[in-house]
Amino acid sequence: MALIVAVVLLDSGHAFSKYSTWSSQMETSLLQDQGFKQWKWLESDCDNCQIMLVPNSDEVQTIQVRRFIQALAVNKSDLQKIYKVSGEEYTLLAQMSVGILGRETLFGESARYKVKEAIPWAVSLAKVMRSVATGKMVDPNSRGLTQIKFLPAAVVEKYGITSENLDVPENAAIATMGYLIEALKQMKNRIKTYHLDHITPEKYADYLPYIYFGRSRALIDKTAIPEQNNYVQALKKYMSMIDVFERQP
């Protein structure tokens, strides 16, 4: 915690630019001195490890991202208890949530996101008009830093998160984790029910985004091609901008 606070104080709210490489190296060195080791999916089976996420790119060297990733680390134990999710899977989904933050709103910096949040009523009106024209049902507005449509009931109850406060990085992080944990359970059920043997744990990060962006049917139909999907590829690029470390309790 002290390490995060110290680094956040250095940040004015914008990208570090010339300091980013130095900052990442310093953080990594400090974490290693404190007993943290690099985390890798499917190479760690530590259930109750403390985790830390370290930005390694200018794009994620902002206070907003720092608050988001700090919330992922701080709330790990509580969210694991709520959802009965393993530490290994939690950490993968934490890294994926940063990828979603980048893909959906460019880490809260995209002009489109800022306009949508400034006038959500206009977005709703446009959806109603489209619904009248097409005869299709009106979908809920995607809200917040990770553009969530449906808030997980468990995090709403425990944390008081609503669609109106998803612009708060901590709320967005917790809600995104809750959604992804539930989505992973859904995907596992579909793998078993529909014999989707090609979706192995090594490929969870390739196929889970289809549930997040509303194309889960492509998993069942076996028409999902992550290698050719722009959303998936962008998400994985943004995931790589964060290094993950863990420490045994």
Side-chain angles (χ1 to χ4, degrees):
M1 181 70 73
L3 171 61
I4 295 177
V5 173
V7 175
V8 167
L9 289 174
L10 292 172
D11 191 355
S12 64
H14 302 286
F16 275 75
S17 186
K18 64 181 180 180
Y19 296 110
S20 61
T21 301
W22 170 82
S23 174
S24 295
Q25 291 175 345
M26 182 189 73
E27 285 183 75
T28 298
S29 178
L30 287 173
L31 287 174
Q32 290 171 342
D33 289 344
Q34 295 173 18
F36 283 86
K37 296 181 179 180
Q38 187 94 31
W39 172 88
K40 290 185 179 179
W41 172 233
L42 298 179
E43 293 184 17
S44 167
D45 60 357
C46 180
D47 196 53
N48 58 346
C49 274
Q50 180 184 358
I51 64 170
M52 295 286 282
L53 295 88
V54 178
N56 62 34
S57 169
D58 288 353
E59 292 181 65
V60 286
Q61 292 281 6
T62 67
I63 284 183
Q64 192 153 238
V65 174
R66 293 278 182 178
R67 290 172 59 185
F68 187 94
I69 62 178
Q70 181 176 344
L72 296 174
V74 169
N75 292 283
K76 177 177 180 286
S77 178
D78 284 344
L79 288 170
Q80 279 187 259
K81 290 176 182 176
I82 292 172
Y83 285 104
K84 305 297 188 291
V85 63
S86 72
E88 183 181 33
E89 289 179 347
Y90 181 95
T91 306
L92 171 67
L93 299 180
Q95 191 176 34
M96 285 187 67
S97 72
V98 179
I100 290 171
L101 176 63
R103 172 58 183 81
E104 290 289 354
T105 66
L106 291 178
F107 305 105
E109 298 299 323
S110 76
R112 182 174 181 272
Y113 162 66
K114 292 177 179 179
V115 169
K116 283 184 66 178
E117 288 299 302
I119 49 172
W121 59 267
V123 178
S124 298
L125 178 60
K127 287 189 173 185
V128 170
M129 294 176 65
R130 185 164 61 247
S131 175
V132 171
T134 63
K136 296 181 179 180
M137 293 182 62
V138 179
D139 288 334
N141 284 355
S142 299
R143 298 298 303 273
L145 289 165
T146 55
Q147 293 294 281
I148 294 178
K149 284 186 179 181
F150 303 100
L151 281 169
V155 297
V156 170
E157 180 179 350
K158 179 172 177 60
Y159 297 95
I161 297 172
T162 70
S163 60
E164 301 301 320
N165 60 27
L166 284 171
D167 59 324
V168 177
E170 291 81 0
N171 292 343
I174 293 168
T176 305
M177 281 301 302
Y179 190 100
L180 286 176
I181 293 169
E182 293 181 359
L184 180 58
K185 291 179 179 178
Q186 291 176 30
M187 190 171 76
K188 285 182 176 181
N189 287 335
R190 289 170 185 172
I191 290 170
K192 184 177 181 179
T193 302
Y194 297 100
H195 307 291
L196 306 177
D197 299 331
H198 61 290
I199 305 181
T200 60
E202 289 85 355
K203 297 181 179 180
Y204 281 175
D206 293 315
Y207 288 96
L208 190 58
Y210 280 84
I211 295 179
Y212 197 89
F213 62 73
R215 290 282 307 282
S216 60
R217 188 69 199 179
L219 303 180
I220 298 171
D221 295 340
K222 299 183 180 181
T223 56
I225 308 175
E227 299 81 6
Q228 299 177 16
N229 186 281
N230 291 334
Y231 189 106
V232 174
Q233 295 308 308
L235 182 149
K236 293 181 74 174
K237 179 187 74 172
Y238 292 126
M239 283 176 66
S240 71
M241 294 180 181
I242 294 288
D243 294 326
V244 185
F245 297 85
E246 66 178 6
R247 180 173 64 183
Q248 293 280 350

